[in-house]
Amino acid sequence: MKKHIMAVLSVLCLSACSSQVSVKSGSRSEAINAGTLDRTMYLRGDFTLWDFEPHYILKEQSAGIYTVKAKFMTPGKVYEFKIADEQWSKGYNCGYKVQGALKLGQAQLADCNALYNYFTFMPNKKGWYVITFDYRDNQSPTVTINMSY
């Protein structure tokens, strides 16, 4: 009887271990860690009335690097924005993690579970700007803004 119980316990332990391995290897988080977004992301801000608009879709430039252009026409105005999907989904609602004010060429950490912490940018001249979303490390994505030339 003891041998029979030990055999059953051994089988249960082995099957539990193998199922854990298969669940982990096929998990969604592994696909996200590759740095590729699995949905359309938008630049959404006060200049879009926080709606998603087709001309503010982020486009992949290289693996995990996404960009979008925006025209800021009022120097000295503080523009507010986030990078998010259509539904503001958890994990795809990206605002600032530590500091919200963006400066030209300086990457800021993004928190993609943000509720209200939107990025801000105050241009010193009017023109086109490129917003870059670096998602190569999905645990520490960054946002950078540069003037478009």
Coordinates of all heavy atoms in Angstrom, one line a residue, residues 8-97:
V8 N 1.8 6.9 -6.8 CA 0.8 7.9 -7.1 C 1.3 9.3 -6.9 O 1.2 10.2 -7.7 CB -0.6 7.7 -6.4 CG1 -1.5 8.9 -6.6 CG2 -1.2 6.4 -6.8
L9 N 1.9 9.6 -5.7 CA 2.5 10.9 -5.4 C 3.6 11.2 -6.4 O 3.7 12.4 -6.9 CB 3.0 10.9 -4.0 CG 2.0 10.9 -2.9 CD1 2.6 10.8 -1.5 CD2 1.1 12.2 -3.0
S10 N 4.4 10.3 -6.8 CA 5.5 10.5 -7.8 C 4.9 11.0 -9.1 O 5.4 11.9 -9.7 CB 6.4 9.3 -7.9 OG 7.0 9.0 -6.8
V11 N 3.9 10.3 -9.5 CA 3.2 10.6 -10.8 C 2.6 12.0 -10.7 O 2.8 12.8 -11.7 CB 2.2 9.6 -11.2 CG1 1.3 10.0 -12.3 CG2 2.8 8.2 -11.5
L12 N 2.0 12.4 -9.7 CA 1.4 13.7 -9.5 C 2.5 14.8 -9.5 O 2.3 15.8 -10.2 CB 0.6 13.8 -8.2 CG -0.8 13.0 -8.2 CD1 -1.4 13.1 -6.8 CD2 -1.7 13.6 -9.2
C13 N 3.6 14.5 -8.8 CA 4.6 15.5 -8.8 C 5.2 15.7 -10.2 O 5.5 16.8 -10.6 CB 5.7 15.1 -7.8 SG 5.2 15.3 -6.1
L14 N 5.5 14.6 -10.9 CA 6.1 14.7 -12.2 C 5.1 15.4 -13.2 O 5.5 16.2 -14.0 CB 6.4 13.3 -12.7 CG 7.6 12.7 -12.1 CD1 7.8 11.3 -12.6 CD2 8.9 13.5 -12.4
S15 N 3.8 15.1 -13.1 CA 2.9 15.8 -14.0 C 2.7 17.2 -13.7 O 2.6 18.1 -14.6 CB 1.5 15.1 -14.0 OG 0.9 15.2 -12.7
A16 N 2.8 17.6 -12.4 CA 2.7 19.0 -12.0 C 4.0 19.8 -12.6 O 3.8 20.9 -13.1 CB 2.6 19.1 -10.5
C17 N 5.1 19.2 -12.4 CA 6.3 19.8 -12.9 C 6.3 20.0 -14.4 O 6.6 21.1 -14.9 CB 7.6 19.0 -12.6 SG 8.0 19.0 -10.8
S18 N 5.8 19.0 -15.2 CA 5.8 19.1 -16.6 C 4.8 20.1 -17.0 O 5.0 20.9 -18.0 CB 5.6 17.8 -17.3 OG 4.3 17.3 -17.0
S19 N 3.7 20.3 -16.3 CA 2.7 21.2 -16.7 C 3.2 22.7 -16.4 O 2.9 23.6 -17.2 CB 1.3 21.0 -16.0 OG 1.4 21.2 -14.7
Q20 N 3.9 22.9 -15.4 CA 4.5 24.2 -15.1 C 5.4 24.6 -16.2 O 5.4 25.7 -16.6 CB 5.2 24.2 -13.8 CG 4.2 24.1 -12.6 CD 5.0 24.0 -11.3 OE1 6.2 23.9 -11.2 NE2 4.2 24.1 -10.2
V21 N 6.2 23.7 -16.7 CA 7.2 24.0 -17.7 C 6.4 24.4 -19.0 O 6.7 25.4 -19.6 CB 8.2 22.8 -18.0 CG1 9.0 23.1 -19.2 CG2 9.1 22.6 -16.8
S22 N 5.4 23.7 -19.4 CA 4.7 24.0 -20.6 C 3.9 25.3 -20.5 O 3.9 26.0 -21.4 CB 3.8 22.8 -21.0 OG 2.8 22.7 -20.1
V23 N 3.4 25.6 -19.3 CA 2.7 26.8 -19.2 C 3.6 28.0 -19.3 O 3.4 29.0 -20.0 CB 1.9 26.8 -17.8 CG1 1.4 28.2 -17.5 CG2 0.8 25.8 -17.8
K24 N 4.8 27.9 -18.6 CA 5.7 29.0 -18.7 C 6.3 29.2 -20.1 O 6.4 30.3 -20.5 CB 6.8 28.7 -17.7 CG 7.8 29.9 -17.6 CD 8.7 29.8 -16.5 CE 9.8 30.9 -16.5 NZ 9.6 31.9 -15.6
S25 N 6.6 28.2 -20.8 CA 7.2 28.3 -22.1 C 6.2 28.8 -23.1 O 6.6 29.4 -24.1 CB 7.8 27.0 -22.6 OG 6.8 26.1 -22.8
G26 N 4.9 28.7 -22.9 CA 3.9 29.2 -23.8 C 3.2 30.4 -23.3 O 2.2 30.8 -23.9
S27 N 3.7 31.1 -22.3 CA 3.0 32.2 -21.8 C 3.1 33.4 -22.6 O 4.0 33.6 -23.4 CB 3.6 32.5 -20.4 OG 4.9 33.1 -20.5
R28 N 2.1 34.3 -22.5 CA 2.0 35.5 -23.2 C 3.2 36.5 -22.9 O 3.7 37.2 -23.7 CB 0.7 36.2 -23.0 CG 0.5 37.4 -23.8 CD -1.0 38.0 -23.5 NE -1.2 39.1 -24.3 CZ -0.9 40.3 -23.9 NH1 -0.3 40.6 -22.8 NH2 -1.1 41.4 -24.7
S29 N 3.6 36.5 -21.6 CA 4.7 37.4 -21.2 C 5.9 37.1 -22.0 O 6.7 38.1 -22.2 CB 4.9 37.3 -19.7 OG 5.4 36.0 -19.4
E30 N 6.2 35.9 -22.4 CA 7.4 35.6 -23.1 C 7.3 36.3 -24.5 O 8.3 36.8 -25.0 CB 7.5 34.1 -23.3 CG 8.9 33.7 -23.6 CD 9.1 32.2 -23.6 OE1 9.3 31.6 -22.5 OE2 8.9 31.5 -24.6
A31 N 6.2 36.3 -25.1 CA 6.0 37.0 -26.4 C 6.2 38.5 -26.2 O 6.8 39.1 -27.1 CB 4.7 36.7 -27.0
I32 N 5.7 39.1 -25.2 CA 5.8 40.5 -24.9 C 7.2 40.9 -24.7 O 7.7 41.9 -25.1 CB 4.9 41.0 -23.8 CG1 3.4 40.8 -24.2 CG2 5.2 42.4 -23.4 CD1 2.4 41.1 -23.1
N33 N 8.0 40.0 -24.0 CA 9.4 40.3 -23.6 C 10.2 40.5 -24.9 O 11.3 41.1 -24.8 CB 10.0 39.2 -22.8 CG 9.5 39.3 -21.3 OD1 9.1 40.4 -20.9 ND2 9.6 38.3 -20.6
A34 N 9.8 40.0 -26.0 CA 10.5 40.2 -27.3 C 10.6 41.6 -27.7 O 11.3 42.0 -28.6 CB 9.9 39.3 -28.3
G35 N 9.8 42.5 -27.1 CA 9.9 43.9 -27.4 C 9.0 44.3 -28.6 O 9.2 45.4 -29.2
T36 N 8.0 43.5 -28.9 CA 7.1 43.8 -30.0 C 5.7 44.0 -29.5 O 5.2 43.2 -28.7 CB 7.1 42.6 -31.0 OG1 8.4 42.4 -31.5 CG2 6.2 42.9 -32.2
L37 N 5.1 45.1 -29.9 CA 3.8 45.4 -29.5 C 2.8 44.5 -30.3 O 3.0 44.3 -31.5 CB 3.4 46.8 -29.6 CG 4.2 47.8 -28.7 CD1 4.1 49.2 -29.2 CD2 3.7 47.7 -27.3
D38 N 1.8 44.0 -29.6 CA 0.8 43.1 -30.3 C -0.5 43.8 -30.7 O -1.5 43.2 -30.9 CB 0.5 41.9 -29.4 CG -0.2 42.2 -28.1 OD1 -0.3 43.4 -27.8 OD2 -0.5 41.3 -27.4
R39 N -0.4 45.2 -30.7 CA -1.6 45.9 -31.0 C -1.2 47.3 -31.5 O -0.1 47.7 -31.3 CB -2.6 46.1 -29.8 CG -1.9 46.8 -28.7 CD -2.7 46.7 -27.4 NE -2.7 45.4 -26.9 CZ -3.6 44.8 -26.1 NH1 -4.5 45.6 -25.6 NH2 -3.5 43.6 -25.7
T40 N -2.1 48.0 -32.1 CA -1.9 49.4 -32.6 C -1.8 50.3 -31.4 O -2.7 50.3 -30.5 CB -3.0 49.8 -33.5 OG1 -3.0 48.9 -34.6 CG2 -2.7 51.2 -34.1
M41 N -0.8 51.2 -31.4 CA -0.6 52.2 -30.3 C -0.7 53.5 -30.9 O -0.3 53.7 -32.1 CB 0.7 51.9 -29.6 CG 0.8 50.6 -28.9 SD -0.2 50.4 -27.4 CE 0.8 51.3 -26.2
Y42 N -1.2 54.5 -30.1 CA -1.4 55.9 -30.6 C -0.8 56.9 -29.7 O -0.6 56.6 -28.5 CB -2.9 56.2 -30.6 CG -3.7 55.3 -31.5 CD1 -4.2 54.0 -31.1 CD2 -4.0 55.7 -32.8 CE1 -4.9 53.2 -31.9 CE2 -4.8 54.8 -33.7 CZ -5.2 53.6 -33.2 OH -5.9 52.8 -34.0
L43 N -0.4 58.0 -30.2 CA -0.1 59.2 -29.5 C -1.4 59.9 -29.2 O -2.1 60.2 -30.1 CB 0.9 60.1 -30.3 CG 1.3 61.4 -29.6 CD1 2.2 61.0 -28.4 CD2 2.0 62.3 -30.5
R44 N -1.8 60.0 -27.9 CA -3.0 60.6 -27.5 C -2.8 61.7 -26.5 O -2.1 61.5 -25.6 CB -3.9 59.5 -26.9 CG -4.2 58.3 -27.8 CD -4.9 57.2 -27.1 NE -6.3 57.6 -26.9 CZ -7.3 56.8 -26.6 NH1 -7.0 55.5 -26.3 NH2 -8.5 57.2 -26.4
G45 N -3.4 62.8 -26.8 CA -3.1 64.0 -25.9 C -4.1 65.0 -26.0 O -5.2 64.9 -26.6
D46 N -3.8 66.2 -25.3 CA -4.8 67.3 -25.3 C -5.0 67.8 -26.7 O -6.1 68.3 -27.1 CB -4.3 68.4 -24.4 CG -2.9 68.9 -24.7 OD1 -2.2 68.3 -25.5 OD2 -2.5 69.9 -24.0
F47 N -4.0 67.6 -27.6 CA -4.1 68.1 -29.0 C -5.0 67.1 -29.8 O -5.3 67.5 -31.0 CB -2.8 68.2 -29.6 CG -1.8 67.1 -29.4 CD1 -1.8 66.0 -30.4 CD2 -1.0 67.0 -28.3 CE1 -1.0 64.9 -30.1 CE2 -0.2 65.9 -28.1 CZ -0.2 64.9 -29.0
T48 N -5.4 65.9 -29.3 CA -6.3 65.0 -30.0 C -7.6 64.9 -29.2 O -8.4 64.0 -29.5 CB -5.7 63.6 -30.2 OG1 -5.6 63.0 -28.9 CG2 -4.4 63.7 -30.9
L49 N -7.7 65.7 -28.2 CA -8.8 65.6 -27.2 C -8.8 64.2 -26.6 O -9.8 63.6 -26.2 CB -10.2 65.9 -27.8 CG -10.3 67.3 -28.4 CD1 -11.7 67.5 -29.1 CD2 -10.1 68.3 -27.3
W50 N -7.6 63.6 -26.5 CA -7.3 62.3 -25.8 C -7.9 61.1 -26.6 O -8.0 60.0 -26.2 CB -7.8 62.3 -24.4 CG -7.0 63.3 -23.6 CD1 -7.4 64.5 -23.2 CD2 -5.6 63.2 -23.1 NE1 -6.4 65.2 -22.6 CE2 -5.3 64.4 -22.5 CE3 -4.7 62.1 -23.2 CZ2 -4.0 64.6 -21.9 CZ3 -3.4 62.4 -22.6 CH2 -3.1 63.6 -22.0
D51 N -8.4 61.4 -27.8 CA -8.9 60.3 -28.7 C -7.8 59.7 -29.4 O -6.7 60.2 -29.5 CB -9.9 60.9 -29.7 CG -11.2 61.3 -29.1 OD1 -11.6 60.7 -28.1 OD2 -11.9 62.2 -29.7
F52 N -8.0 58.5 -30.0 CA -7.1 57.9 -30.9 C -7.4 58.3 -32.3 O -8.6 58.3 -32.7 CB -7.0 56.3 -30.7 CG -8.3 55.6 -31.0 CD1 -8.6 55.2 -32.3 CD2 -9.3 55.4 -30.1 CE1 -9.7 54.5 -32.6 CE2 -10.5 54.8 -30.4 CZ -10.7 54.3 -31.6
E53 N -6.4 58.7 -33.0 CA -6.6 59.2 -34.4 C -5.6 58.4 -35.3 O -4.4 58.2 -34.9 CB -6.4 60.7 -34.5 CG -7.4 61.4 -33.7 CD -7.3 63.0 -33.8 OE1 -6.4 63.4 -34.6 OE2 -8.0 63.7 -33.1
P54 N -6.0 58.1 -36.5 CA -5.2 57.3 -37.4 C -3.8 57.9 -37.8 O -2.8 57.3 -38.0 CB -6.0 57.1 -38.7 CG -7.3 57.7 -38.4 CD -7.3 58.4 -37.1
H55 N -3.8 59.3 -37.8 CA -2.5 59.9 -38.2 C -1.5 60.0 -37.0 O -0.4 60.4 -37.2 CB -2.7 61.3 -38.8 CG -3.5 62.2 -38.0 ND1 -4.9 62.2 -38.1 CD2 -3.2 63.2 -37.2 CE1 -5.4 63.1 -37.3 NE2 -4.4 63.8 -36.7
Y56 N -1.9 59.5 -35.8 CA -1.1 59.4 -34.7 C -0.7 58.0 -34.3 O -0.5 57.7 -33.1 CB -1.6 60.2 -33.5 CG -1.6 61.7 -33.7 CD1 -2.7 62.5 -33.8 CD2 -0.3 62.3 -33.7 CE1 -2.7 63.8 -33.9 CE2 -0.3 63.7 -33.9 CZ -1.4 64.5 -34.0 OH -1.3 65.8 -34.2
I57 N -0.8 57.1 -35.2 CA -0.4 55.7 -35.0 C 1.1 55.6 -34.9 O 1.8 56.1 -35.8 CB -1.0 54.8 -36.1 CG1 -2.5 54.7 -36.0 CG2 -0.3 53.4 -36.0 CD1 -3.1 53.9 -37.2
L58 N 1.6 54.9 -33.9 CA 3.1 54.7 -33.9 C 3.4 53.6 -34.9 O 2.7 52.6 -35.0 CB 3.5 54.2 -32.5 CG 3.7 55.4 -31.5 CD1 2.4 55.9 -30.9 CD2 4.6 54.9 -30.3
K59 N 4.5 53.9 -35.6 CA 5.0 52.9 -36.6 C 6.3 52.4 -36.2 O 7.2 53.1 -35.7 CB 5.1 53.6 -38.0 CG 3.7 54.1 -38.5 CD 3.9 54.8 -39.8 CE 2.5 55.1 -40.4 NZ 1.6 55.9 -39.7
E60 N 6.5 51.1 -36.4 CA 7.7 50.4 -36.0 C 8.8 50.8 -37.0 O 8.7 50.6 -38.2 CB 7.5 48.9 -36.0 CG 8.7 48.2 -35.4 CD 8.5 46.7 -35.1 OE1 7.6 46.1 -35.7 OE2 9.1 46.2 -34.2
Q61 N 9.9 51.3 -36.5 CA 11.1 51.7 -37.3 C 12.1 50.6 -37.4 O 12.8 50.4 -38.4 CB 11.7 53.0 -36.8 CG 10.7 54.1 -36.8 CD 10.1 54.4 -38.1 OE1 10.8 54.5 -39.1 NE2 8.8 54.6 -38.2
S62 N 12.3 49.9 -36.3 CA 13.1 48.7 -36.1 C 12.6 47.9 -35.0 O 11.6 48.3 -34.3 CB 14.6 49.1 -35.9 OG 14.8 49.9 -34.7
A63 N 13.2 46.8 -34.7 CA 12.6 45.9 -33.7 C 12.5 46.6 -32.3 O 13.5 47.0 -31.7 CB 13.5 44.7 -33.5
G64 N 11.2 46.8 -31.9 CA 10.9 47.4 -30.6 C 11.0 48.9 -30.6 O 10.8 49.5 -29.5
I65 N 11.3 49.6 -31.7 CA 11.4 51.1 -31.7 C 10.2 51.6 -32.6 O 10.1 51.2 -33.8 CB 12.7 51.5 -32.4 CG1 13.9 51.0 -31.6 CG2 12.8 53.1 -32.4 CD1 14.1 51.6 -30.2
Y66 N 9.4 52.4 -32.0 CA 8.2 52.9 -32.7 C 8.3 54.5 -32.6 O 8.7 55.1 -31.6 CB 6.9 52.5 -31.9 CG 6.8 51.0 -31.9 CD1 7.5 50.2 -30.9 CD2 6.0 50.3 -32.9 CE1 7.4 48.8 -30.9 CE2 5.9 48.9 -32.8 CZ 6.6 48.2 -31.9 OH 6.5 46.8 -31.9
T67 N 7.8 55.1 -33.7 CA 7.8 56.5 -33.8 C 6.5 57.1 -34.4 O 5.8 56.4 -35.1 CB 9.0 57.1 -34.7 OG1 8.8 56.6 -36.0 CG2 10.3 56.7 -34.1
V68 N 6.3 58.3 -34.1 CA 5.2 59.1 -34.6 C 5.6 60.5 -34.7 O 6.3 61.0 -33.8 CB 3.9 58.9 -33.8 CG1 4.0 59.4 -32.4 CG2 2.6 59.4 -34.5
K69 N 5.0 61.3 -35.6 CA 5.3 62.7 -35.8 C 4.1 63.5 -35.3 O 2.9 63.1 -35.5 CB 5.6 63.1 -37.2 CG 6.9 62.8 -37.7 CD 7.1 63.3 -39.1 CE 8.5 63.6 -39.5 NZ 8.6 64.2 -40.8
A70 N 4.4 64.6 -34.6 CA 3.3 65.5 -34.2 C 3.8 67.0 -34.5 O 5.0 67.3 -34.3 CB 3.1 65.4 -32.7
K71 N 2.9 67.8 -34.8 CA 3.2 69.2 -35.1 C 2.7 70.0 -33.9 O 1.5 70.1 -33.6 CB 2.4 69.7 -36.4 CG 2.9 71.0 -36.9 CD 2.3 71.2 -38.3 CE 3.0 72.4 -39.0 NZ 2.5 72.7 -40.3
F72 N 3.6 70.7 -33.3 CA 3.3 71.5 -32.1 C 3.5 73.0 -32.6 O 4.7 73.4 -32.9 CB 4.2 71.2 -30.9 CG 4.0 69.8 -30.4 CD1 5.1 69.0 -30.1 CD2 2.7 69.3 -30.2 CE1 4.9 67.7 -29.6 CE2 2.5 68.0 -29.7 CZ 3.6 67.2 -29.4
M73 N 2.5 73.7 -32.6 CA 2.5 75.1 -33.3 C 2.5 76.2 -32.3 O 2.6 77.4 -32.7 CB 1.2 75.2 -34.2 CG 1.3 74.2 -35.3 SD 2.7 74.4 -36.4 CE 2.5 76.0 -37.0
T74 N 2.5 76.0 -31.0 CA 2.5 77.1 -30.0 C 3.7 77.0 -29.1 O 3.6 76.2 -28.1 CB 1.2 77.0 -29.2 OG1 0.1 77.0 -30.1 CG2 1.1 78.3 -28.3
P75 N 4.8 77.7 -29.4 CA 5.9 77.7 -28.5 C 5.5 78.2 -27.1 O 4.7 79.1 -27.0 CB 6.9 78.7 -29.2 CG 6.5 78.7 -30.6 CD 5.0 78.5 -30.6
G76 N 6.1 77.5 -26.1 CA 5.8 77.9 -24.7 C 4.5 77.2 -24.1 O 4.3 77.3 -22.9
K77 N 3.7 76.6 -25.0 CA 2.5 75.9 -24.5 C 2.9 74.5 -24.0 O 3.8 73.9 -24.6 CB 1.5 75.7 -25.6 CG 0.3 74.9 -25.2 CD -0.6 74.5 -26.4 CE -1.8 73.8 -26.1 NZ -1.8 72.7 -25.2
V78 N 2.3 74.1 -22.9 CA 2.6 72.8 -22.4 C 1.6 71.8 -23.0 O 0.4 71.9 -22.8 CB 2.5 72.7 -20.9 CG1 2.7 71.3 -20.3 CG2 3.5 73.7 -20.2
Y79 N 2.2 70.9 -23.8 CA 1.4 69.8 -24.5 C 1.4 68.6 -23.6 O 2.5 68.2 -23.0 CB 2.0 69.5 -25.8 CG 1.7 70.5 -26.9 CD1 2.7 71.6 -27.0 CD2 0.6 70.6 -27.7 CE1 2.5 72.6 -28.0 CE2 0.4 71.6 -28.6 CZ 1.4 72.6 -28.8 OH 1.2 73.5 -29.7
E80 N 0.3 67.9 -23.4 CA 0.2 66.7 -22.6 C -0.2 65.6 -23.5 O -1.1 65.7 -24.3 CB -0.9 67.0 -21.5 CG -0.7 68.1 -20.6 CD -1.9 68.5 -19.7 OE1 -3.0 68.1 -20.0 OE2 -1.6 69.2 -18.7
F81 N 0.4 64.4 -23.2 CA 0.1 63.2 -24.0 C 0.5 62.0 -23.3 O 1.3 62.0 -22.4 CB 0.7 63.3 -25.4 CG 2.2 63.4 -25.4 CD1 3.0 62.2 -25.4 CD2 2.9 64.6 -25.5 CE1 4.4 62.3 -25.5 CE2 4.3 64.7 -25.5 CZ 5.0 63.5 -25.5
K82 N 0.0 60.9 -23.9 CA 0.4 59.5 -23.5 C 0.5 58.7 -24.7 O 0.0 59.1 -25.8 CB -0.7 58.9 -22.5 CG -0.8 59.6 -21.2 CD -1.9 59.0 -20.3 CE -1.3 57.8 -19.6 NZ -2.2 57.3 -18.6
I83 N 1.0 57.5 -24.6 CA 1.0 56.5 -25.7 C 0.2 55.4 -25.2 O 0.4 54.8 -24.1 CB 2.5 56.0 -26.0 CG1 3.3 57.2 -26.5 CG2 2.5 54.8 -26.9 CD1 4.7 57.0 -26.7
A84 N -0.9 55.0 -25.9 CA -1.9 54.1 -25.5 C -2.6 53.4 -26.7 O -2.6 53.9 -27.8 CB -2.9 54.7 -24.6
D85 N -3.2 52.3 -26.4 CA -4.0 51.6 -27.4 C -5.4 52.3 -27.4 O -5.6 53.3 -26.7 CB -4.1 50.1 -27.2 CG -4.8 49.7 -25.9 OD1 -5.3 50.6 -25.1 OD2 -5.0 48.5 -25.7
E86 N -6.3 51.7 -28.2 CA -7.7 52.3 -28.3 C -8.5 52.3 -27.0 O -9.3 53.2 -26.8 CB -8.4 51.6 -29.4 CG -7.9 51.9 -30.8 CD -8.7 51.2 -31.9 OE1 -9.8 50.7 -31.7 OE2 -8.1 51.0 -33.0
Q87 N -8.3 51.3 -26.2 CA -9.1 51.1 -25.0 C -8.4 51.6 -23.7 O -9.0 51.4 -22.7 CB -9.5 49.7 -24.8 CG -10.6 49.2 -25.8 CD -10.0 48.9 -27.2 OE1 -9.0 48.4 -27.3 NE2 -10.8 49.2 -28.2
W88 N -7.3 52.2 -23.8 CA -6.5 52.5 -22.6 C -6.3 51.3 -21.7 O -6.4 51.3 -20.5 CB -7.2 53.6 -21.7 CG -7.5 54.9 -22.4 CD1 -8.7 55.3 -23.0 CD2 -6.6 56.0 -22.6 NE1 -8.6 56.5 -23.5 CE2 -7.3 57.0 -23.3 CE3 -5.3 56.2 -22.3 CZ2 -6.7 58.2 -23.7 CZ3 -4.7 57.4 -22.7 CH2 -5.4 58.4 -23.3
S89 N -5.9 50.2 -22.4 CA -5.8 48.9 -21.7 C -4.7 48.8 -20.7 O -3.6 49.5 -21.0 CB -5.6 47.8 -22.7 OG -6.6 47.7 -23.7
K90 N -4.8 48.1 -19.7 CA -3.7 47.9 -18.7 C -2.6 47.2 -19.4 O -2.7 46.3 -20.2 CB -4.2 47.0 -17.6 CG -3.2 46.8 -16.5 CD -3.7 46.0 -15.3 CE -2.6 45.9 -14.3 NZ -3.0 45.2 -13.1
G91 N -1.4 47.8 -19.2 CA -0.2 47.3 -19.9 C 0.1 48.0 -21.2 O 1.1 47.9 -21.8
Y92 N -0.9 48.8 -21.7 CA -0.8 49.6 -22.9 C -1.3 51.0 -22.8 O -1.8 51.6 -23.7 CB -1.6 48.9 -24.0 CG -1.1 47.5 -24.3 CD1 -1.6 46.4 -23.6 CD2 0.0 47.3 -25.2 CE1 -1.1 45.1 -23.9 CE2 0.5 46.0 -25.4 CZ -0.1 44.9 -24.7 OH 0.4 43.7 -25.0
N93 N -1.1 51.5 -21.6 CA -1.5 52.9 -21.3 C -0.3 53.6 -20.6 O -0.1 53.6 -19.4 CB -2.7 52.8 -20.3 CG -3.3 54.2 -19.9 OD1 -2.8 55.2 -20.4 ND2 -4.3 54.2 -19.1
C94 N 0.5 54.1 -21.5 CA 1.9 54.5 -21.1 C 2.0 56.0 -20.8 O 1.9 56.8 -21.7 CB 2.9 54.1 -22.2 SG 2.7 52.4 -22.6
G95 N 2.3 56.3 -19.6 CA 2.6 57.7 -19.2 C 4.0 57.6 -18.5 O 4.7 56.6 -18.6
Y96 N 4.3 58.7 -17.8 CA 5.6 58.8 -17.2 C 5.7 57.9 -16.0 O 4.8 57.6 -15.3 CB 6.1 60.2 -16.9 CG 5.3 60.8 -15.7 CD1 5.8 60.6 -14.4 CD2 4.2 61.6 -15.9 CE1 5.1 61.1 -13.3 CE2 3.5 62.2 -14.8 CZ 4.0 61.9 -13.5 OH 3.4 62.5 -12.4
K97 N 7.0 57.4 -15.7 CA 7.2 56.6 -14.5 C 7.8 57.4 -13.4 O 7.4 57.3 -12.3 CB 8.1 55.4 -14.9 CG 8.3 54.4 -13.8 CD 8.9 53.2 -14.2 CE 8.8 52.1 -13.2 NZ 9.1 50.8 -13.7

